Amino acid sequence: MKARIFQPTRSVMQSGVGRSRHWVLEFAPGARRDIDPLMGWTSSGDTQTQVRLTFGSKQAAVEYAQEHGIQYVVVNPKRRKQVIRPRGYGENFAYERKDSWTH
């Protein structure tokens, strides 16, 4: 039983960092998925893929995995570079603007 410990990325509909500070322990699939011939749905007999545990810190998730004898891999998040312009959006409406602001 292998697991992955990671910090989930934010939703595409989300501009802030809310709900992205926790860590998740998620189990790898143990059996392959089968396709139902009648309905076309995918199913699996492996119930561990439905388990998704959340933790407040990476250390807590690692300790949990070690206590329960779970093999794990830690995937560290990639930090994105902040895009901050020197004056930003407000520069469009500045009174000392040299050229006219039109669409």
Side-chain angles (χ1 to χ4, degrees):
M1 184 164 55
K2 252 187 156 181
R4 174 175 69 132
I5 298 173
F6 65 99
Q7 197 171 21
T9 59
R10 61 188 175 89
S11 167
V12 294
M13 299 299 291
Q14 182 180 0
S15 62
V17 291
R19 295 188 182 186
S20 64
R21 300 201 188 263
H22 61 276
W23 288 81
V24 175
L25 185 138
E26 191 174 69
F27 291 97
R32 72 177 193 84
R33 293 180 172 261
D34 296 322
I35 298 174
D36 182 60
L38 180 63
M39 297 298 290
W41 296 340
T42 58
S43 64
S44 175
D46 184 22
T47 58
Q48 288 293 340
T49 56
Q50 299 172 7
V51 177
R52 187 176 177 147
L53 303 172
T54 58
F55 298 91
S57 67
K58 176 171 66 170
Q59 187 61 30
V62 169
E63 288 174 4
Y64 179 85
Q66 289 173 348
E67 282 179 17
H68 292 86
I70 301 169
Q71 295 177 7
Y72 63 92
V73 174
V74 177
V75 179
N76 290 315
K78 295 179 186 172
R79 297 290 176 206
R80 69 182 197 135
K81 182 181 155 189
Q82 290 185 343
V83 180
I84 300 175
R85 295 187 303 162
R87 295 202 47 196
Y89 179 71
E91 184 182 358
N92 292 335
F93 307 102
Y95 64 89
E96 70 267 4
R97 191 176 168 96
K98 301 280 189 267
D99 51 343
S100 62
W101 187 77
T102 59
H103 289 283

